[in-house]
Amino acid sequence: MEGEERRIDEKTQEKYAHLISILPKKKSWGRYLHMYHGFWYSSFVLNGIMSVQDNFKADPSDVLIASSPKSGTTWLKALVFALLNRNAVDQTSKQVMHSLNPHEYVPFLEVQLYAHSRLPDLDSLPPPRLLATHIPYSALPESTRGDPSCRIVYISLDIKDVFVSFWHFLNDGRHDSHEPFLLEEAFESYSDGVSPYGPIWDHQSEYWKASIERPQSVIFLKYEDMMEDPVNGVKRLAKFLGCPFSVEEEEGGVVDEIVKVCSFEYLKNLEVNKEGEIQFGKMKFMKWAFFHRGVVGDSKRYLTPEMIERLNMLSVRMTCSSGSSP
């Protein structure tokens, strides 16, 4: 069958289940995570990743937003969507941002589009297709890493802030009853690299290397730099995406308006992001949970000096392994 009626056959689903069952596993963040090619995943995420690897075919016009979880993904989705749709939307996408949550505009491949036995009909989407993923660079389908390939926009955040943001997100935003994750226990797993899509330092390092080797296809953005100078960050992003701002747009305040309507505080206060939930695979999260604080350096409020030093050492390890500093 074609399009949305196409399904993964039973033998393929059995193959995925068998592969997952024989992988090394550890319990972390309230569930078992499985080691697959150097990274840790829950079983339903890994099932989606395998389906993406087998079925997704990137188009050269695709734009893929990539990140590790809780690294500024929601903000980046809003920015990229506004940039690519600013001419069609006009008034700098203000009305569009009021309609849907950024994760509804830009779905994740492995936990939304390919999370079920029914395969998505991506061929029906007009170019450029705007998609997202937390999949490590080395595990992406070859069609996203070939030449020519789609553009990949990666955003990173200090691994200390990522941990605290992720801890808050899973404790506050999950739409199910569960015991709170204790900070100290979660920290031990995280700093050992045993966390969803972890180790995060390897995740960031892979995309950093790709951005150095293939700068025409991969851009590596730092959340901290984007927050410090969002106007120039957005202009750099627009140029990379092949839709630079015209002089008239800059003089007319289009860049400033996009920065404003996609800002953390603006999105957080929209009614569309205050109510409802979003399904990621087998889990549901409240929309408001994607807008906790968004503050650089928030980890200092929660981590001990010893915890900070431990993660700083892991950041040094990432720098050494990549040969340069992201």
Side-chain angles (χ1 to χ4, degrees):
M1 296 184 180
E2 297 182 356
E4 62 180 10
E5 295 300 320
R6 202 158 53 94
R7 290 178 174 274
I8 302 174
D9 62 62
E10 291 185 7
K11 288 186 177 181
T12 299
Q13 294 189 58
E14 290 174 1
K15 180 186 74 172
Y16 293 164
H18 174 69
L19 287 173
I20 294 171
S21 71
I22 62 176
L23 292 173
K25 65 179 181 179
K26 289 185 179 181
K27 196 163 188 180
S28 175
W29 299 89
R31 63 178 61 238
Y32 279 106
L33 300 181
H34 304 265
M35 169 67 79
Y36 181 65
H37 294 174
F39 291 87
W40 293 94
Y41 313 93
S42 60
S43 58
F44 78 82
V45 170
L46 189 47
N47 192 90
I49 290 175
M50 291 177 175
S51 181
V52 170
Q53 291 173 333
D54 285 346
N55 298 289
F56 176 69
K57 303 299 180 186
D59 185 90
S61 66
D62 287 348
V63 175
L64 185 61
I65 293 175
S67 64
S68 61
K70 305 310 298 173
S71 296
T73 318
T74 307
W75 182 41
L76 183 60
K77 284 185 175 185
L79 286 173
V80 175
F81 184 86
L83 284 172
L84 293 178
N85 291 278
R86 66 183 188 269
N87 293 329
V89 173
D90 208 6
Q91 297 184 7
T92 323
S93 67
K94 182 178 291 187
Q95 294 179 346
V96 173
M97 289 299 125
H98 285 251
S99 303
L100 294 172
N101 180 277
H103 294 292
E104 294 172 302
Y105 281 125
V106 190
F108 284 106
L109 289 171
E110 69 274 18
V111 294
Q112 288 176 292
L113 296 172
Y114 289 87
H116 310 286
S117 58
R118 188 186 298 274
L119 295 174
D121 181 16
L122 299 185
D123 291 337
S124 65
L125 299 178
R129 301 184 306 191
L130 187 50
L131 307 165
T133 189
H134 289 318
I135 299 175
Y137 185 78
S138 59
L140 290 174
E142 183 60 34
S143 61
T144 65
R145 297 182 284 121
D147 189 18
S149 66
C150 62
R151 289 186 175 93
I152 299 175
V153 181
Y154 187 83
I155 190 165
S156 73
L157 175 64
D158 184 285
I159 64 174
K160 300 184 293 296
D161 286 345
V162 172
F163 166 70
V164 169
S165 181
F166 194 56
W167 175 67
H168 276 298
F169 181 68
L170 290 187
N171 269 342
D172 302 336
R174 284 174 56 179
H175 194 266
D176 57 11
S177 57
H178 64 90
E179 292 295 321
F181 298 118
L182 299 178
L183 181 71
E184 295 76 12
E185 291 181 6
F187 178 83
E188 286 302 315
S189 293
Y190 181 83
S191 57
D192 286 340
V194 187
S195 59
Y197 298 92
I200 182 176
W201 41 92
D202 290 339
H203 198 288
Q204 292 183 356
S205 180
E206 284 194 353
Y207 279 95
W208 169 250
K209 290 178 181 178
S211 73
I212 298 300
E213 295 168 357
R214 304 175 58 241
Q216 75 285 355
S217 298
V218 183
I219 188 172
F220 189 100
L221 303 174
K222 291 184 180 181
Y223 181 87
E224 296 86 351
D225 292 346
M226 293 289 289
M227 287 290 286
E228 183 177 354
D229 189 356
V231 170
N232 280 322
V234 167
K235 289 163 66 173
R236 179 188 174 206
L237 182 55
K239 183 177 180 180
F240 172 78
L241 294 173
C243 57
F245 292 99
S246 65
V247 174
E248 292 76 17
E249 285 180 312
E250 291 193 34
E251 293 178 348
V254 174
V255 184
D256 293 328
E257 187 67 12
I258 285 181
V259 169
K260 174 185 174 182
V261 301
C262 294
S263 69
F264 189 86
E265 287 302 318
Y266 190 93
L267 293 172
K268 182 178 181 178
N269 289 312
L270 294 179
E271 290 301 318
V272 70
N273 294 322
K274 292 181 179 180
E275 303 290 340
E277 59 194 23
I278 295 179
Q279 183 94 30
F280 287 162
K282 296 180 179 180
M283 302 177 70
K284 294 180 180 179
F285 295 93
M286 304 305 297
K287 289 183 179 180
W288 55 260
F290 293 96
F291 305 94
H292 177 66
R293 278 175 59 84
V295 176
V296 173
D298 197 39
S299 56
K300 295 177 182 178
R301 302 171 63 233
Y302 299 92
L303 303 183
T304 66
E306 292 76 19
M307 289 176 170
I308 290 174
E309 177 62 21
R310 186 170 174 182
L311 292 184
N312 283 341
M313 291 300 294
L314 290 170
S315 294
V316 171
R317 168 183 162 181
M318 177 179 68
T319 299
C320 292
S321 67
S322 65
S324 57
S325 178

